[in-house]
Amino acid sequence: MKYISTRGGMEPAPYSAILLEGLATDGGLVVPETVPQVSAEQIEAWRSLDYADLATEILSLYATDIPRDDLARMCRAAYSADNFVDEAIVPVSPLAGPDTGISLVGLSEGPTLAFKDMAMQFLGQALEYALEKNDRALNIIGATSGDTGSAAEYALRGKHGIAVFMLSPQGRMSEFQRAQMYSLTDDNIHNIAVAGVFDDCQNLVKALSGDLEFKRAHELGTVNSINLGRISAQMVYYFWAWLRTTDAVAEAERAAFEVSFTVPSGNFGNILSGHLAKAMGLPIRRLVLAANENNVLDEFFRTGVYTPRTAAETHATSSPSMDISKASNLERFVFDLLGRDPERLAAAWRELDETGSIDFSADLPRFEAEFGFQSGTSTHADRVATIRSVFEGSGVLIDPHTADGVKVAREYAEPGVPMLVLETAKPAKFPDIVLEATGERVGMPEHLAGLLELPQHVTEMDDDEAELRDFIATRAVHR
Ligand SMILES: *Cc1c(COP(=O)(O)O)cnc(C)c1O
């Protein structure tokens, strides 16, 4: 299997090479040359596998340049009881009462209590492996306001040939987020608290990544949500959730048994993995995109018109990991929509650059008929009401992102079709809104008791590019 660019200007490259890059060399996004197809019999043969072995099967269709034994070892290391609290890795839990027919797919059993661990834990293994093979090192530089940074640090801590330089705005993260990141003691993890806001951190990262000479000299890179390693690892739980749901279906009816998914979405990474799983042959009926007040994607799926917004037009909401103004991964869906034609894609993106908007409304009926997409929006009041009603109806506490999902899932659930909502974070990360909705105080999970008391390691720095350069230059790892 080789990988190509949506814009058509990149030599086909193998999986372990594209893992180490962000954008394709021509500015497009990397996609598989062809989407591997799996038959109903093949999926059925995976039913008895545990999560790590299922991951090996699915990822071996994409990482064809990695020997299967190596891949199996990486999947076992990533999806182990050391990293995930629930022994199933991804528990699938039905809701009750008025929400009968809706289940939660638990993607937040990992070290940072959110779904990014699902992909990052595998990527940490795969990056270490690919760097070793290519005799390279990688110094990850990133800016975080909380969640992405911690998932990267927990996945890359202690890995050979990798260091992480994570910038965060001083005094602007929650006590929990600070404790989670700053309590790490690994030599290759560097937390830098910048005197400024998140945008200042991001501008520093952009300045250094944009300096190609500095970037090459210190082997800088990123692991953001467009990384295809992440997208491929996320496909696994769509198959897993389908298998666990159809465990209860009569054998004769399983093969074509359809389920629907609702996905709390931001950068369109998570749901894109569902789109690929469906394209591979998994019987998915609907992929329902749930947005919060930053509903640029809901607008796209309802009207066919995509109009990215500016940072200034982006609201700070109570489901902050979905606060986006444009969706980096959408280009991969549009590539499929345009018949995987790089010239049409490039022309569309030129129009977007020139006019700030692009109109696919002529293709709108295909969004649902061919690809199964539906979408909806949820507000703060919806989140509060949903957290409350799920607690009352099912006795389950959910986080605000999952609540956006449940709110929209209820609008699209169909009789006889299981609706699976991806649970993207644990409520313990967002105790205030849970308290507002239910009067319940969610405590820290048992295995994290004591986290807040651990000593913290962080370097405080002015919003000063020269100081940051020095810091990285003296601490970057090399082969
Ligand atoms: C990142 C994140 C999302 C959004 O996922 P995308 O892949 O960007 O669409 C939703 N919920 C939580 C808790 C997240 O951390």
Side-chain angles (χ1 to χ4, degrees):
M1 167 77 74
K2 288 279 171 58
Y3 293 83
I4 54 173
S5 166
T6 49
R7 313 251 176 115
M10 184 183 95
E11 279 299 310
Y15 188 82
S16 50
I18 57 133
L19 277 185
L20 303 178
E21 310 300 333
L23 286 175
T25 45
D26 63 353
L29 297 196
V30 169
V31 290
E33 215 163 24
T34 55
V35 177
Q37 298 296 302
V38 291
S39 66
E41 293 74 37
Q42 195 166 6
I43 301 174
E44 196 52 43
W46 295 339
R47 185 170 296 281
S48 61
L49 302 182
D50 67 9
Y51 193 88
D53 286 347
L54 180 66
T56 304
E57 293 295 333
I58 292 163
L59 287 163
S60 70
L61 302 172
Y62 289 89
T64 52
D65 59 327
I66 301 180
R68 201 187 159 81
D69 286 353
D70 291 341
L71 196 60
R73 185 183 44 72
M74 291 191 265
C75 289
R76 296 226 76 84
Y79 302 113
S80 76
D82 291 346
N83 295 329
F84 290 84
V85 174
D86 193 285
E87 63 177 21
I89 308 297
V90 175
V92 179
S93 322
L95 296 181
D99 288 320
T100 301
I102 298 181
S103 295
L104 299 180
V105 179
L107 303 181
S108 44
E109 302 295 320
T112 73
L113 313 184
F115 102 96
K116 300 214 169 49
D117 290 327
M118 293 305 306
M120 285 305 307
Q121 284 294 327
F122 171 74
L123 191 64
Q125 299 289 332
L127 279 178
E128 184 179 47
Y129 178 88
L131 288 166
E132 159 107 57
K133 286 259 138 148
N134 291 293
D135 200 26
R136 279 176 58 181
L138 186 61
N139 292 288
I140 302 283
I141 171 168
T144 188
S145 50
D147 282 348
T148 18
S150 56
E153 291 188 354
Y154 277 78
L156 299 172
R157 58 190 292 202
K159 296 281 183 290
H160 297 289
I162 301 179
V164 178
F165 297 88
M166 194 57 68
L167 280 56
S168 52
Q170 237 168 65
R172 293 192 184 242
M173 292 199 299
S174 72
E175 192 186 8
F176 177 80
Q177 286 170 326
R178 281 199 306 272
Q180 212 171 26
M181 290 177 54
Y182 301 168
S183 65
L184 290 177
T185 53
D186 307 79
D187 291 341
N188 72 330
I189 302 296
H190 306 282
N191 285 302
I192 302 164
V194 175
V197 295
F198 174 69
D199 281 343
D200 300 321
C201 299
Q202 194 142 34
N203 288 336
L204 285 168
V205 171
K206 279 190 190 149
L208 264 56
S209 312
D211 178 345
L212 295 184
E213 202 173 317
F214 186 81
K215 187 172 176 219
R216 205 171 317 111
H218 301 292
E219 303 186 84
L220 295 191
T222 53
V223 281
N224 49 28
S225 78
I226 59 167
N227 185 294
L228 201 93
R230 287 174 63 169
I231 302 291
S232 58
Q234 288 165 189
M235 275 181 240
V236 177
Y237 49 73
Y238 286 89
F239 283 85
W240 174 264
W242 183 88
L243 285 163
R244 297 297 71 86
T245 304
T246 53
D247 280 340
V249 171
E251 272 176 46
E253 287 161 32
R254 278 178 186 165
F257 191 88
E258 289 188 324
V259 305
S260 293
F261 286 92
T262 300
V263 187
S265 293
N267 264 323
F268 202 71
N270 199 352
I271 199 167
L272 180 82
S273 297
H275 166 69
L276 281 170
K278 181 170 162 62
M280 288 170 75
L282 186 68
I284 297 177
R285 180 171 158 76
R286 296 281 183 256
L287 284 165
V288 183
L289 180 143
N292 66 16
E293 290 88 336
N294 297 293
N295 58 356
V296 52
L297 283 174
D298 181 30
E299 184 177 278
F300 171 65
F301 282 99
R302 277 186 294 105
T303 64
V305 179
Y306 179 51
T307 313
R309 298 171 190 168
T310 61
E313 293 166 315
T314 308
H315 312 276
T317 76
S318 52
S319 48
S321 299
M322 295 159 61
D323 291 349
I324 53 124
S325 45
K326 53 182 188 289
S328 333
N329 274 296
L330 191 67
E331 180 165 336
R332 289 185 168 121
F333 169 69
V334 171
F335 183 64
D336 287 347
L337 183 70
L338 299 178
R340 308 194 98 218
D341 179 342
E343 275 171 29
R344 286 180 70 195
L345 191 283
W349 249 245
R350 264 197 306 279
E351 186 181 330
L352 181 62
D353 282 347
E354 280 158 21
T355 67
S357 181
I358 178 106
D359 184 352
F360 298 104
S361 57
D363 283 307
L364 188 59
R366 293 175 54 221
F367 286 26
E368 184 175 329
E370 192 175 325
F371 301 104
F373 277 103
Q374 292 173 322
S375 76
T377 289
S378 160
T379 64
H380 177 77
D382 292 326
R383 286 187 280 284
V384 172
T386 307
I387 292 170
R388 182 179 303 134
S389 62
V390 168
F391 184 59
E392 285 169 357
S394 305
V396 176
L397 289 175
I398 57 172
D399 97 291
H401 305 81
T402 309
D404 287 327
V406 172
K407 186 267 181 182
V408 176
R410 284 171 175 164
E411 293 165 2
Y412 287 106
E414 300 167 284
V417 183
M419 174 60 90
L420 307 179
V421 177
L422 302 188
E423 181 221 41
T424 55
K426 284 275 184 227
K429 294 188 92 166
F430 304 93
D432 295 348
I433 188 171
V434 175
L435 182 66
E436 177 185 352
T438 64
E440 298 284 314
R441 265 173 219 287
V442 258
M444 198 71 92
E446 217 175 290
H447 69 288
L448 293 180
L451 181 72
L452 299 181
E453 282 76 49
L454 291 176
Q456 300 194 353
H457 312 274
V458 59
T459 302
E460 299 200 341
M461 204 179 275
D462 289 333
D463 178 6
D464 180 347
E465 197 183 310
E467 200 179 338
L468 181 62
R469 275 172 194 268
D470 271 358
F471 186 88
I472 292 177
T474 52
R475 290 167 182 81
V477 290
H478 297 282
R479 289 270 173 200

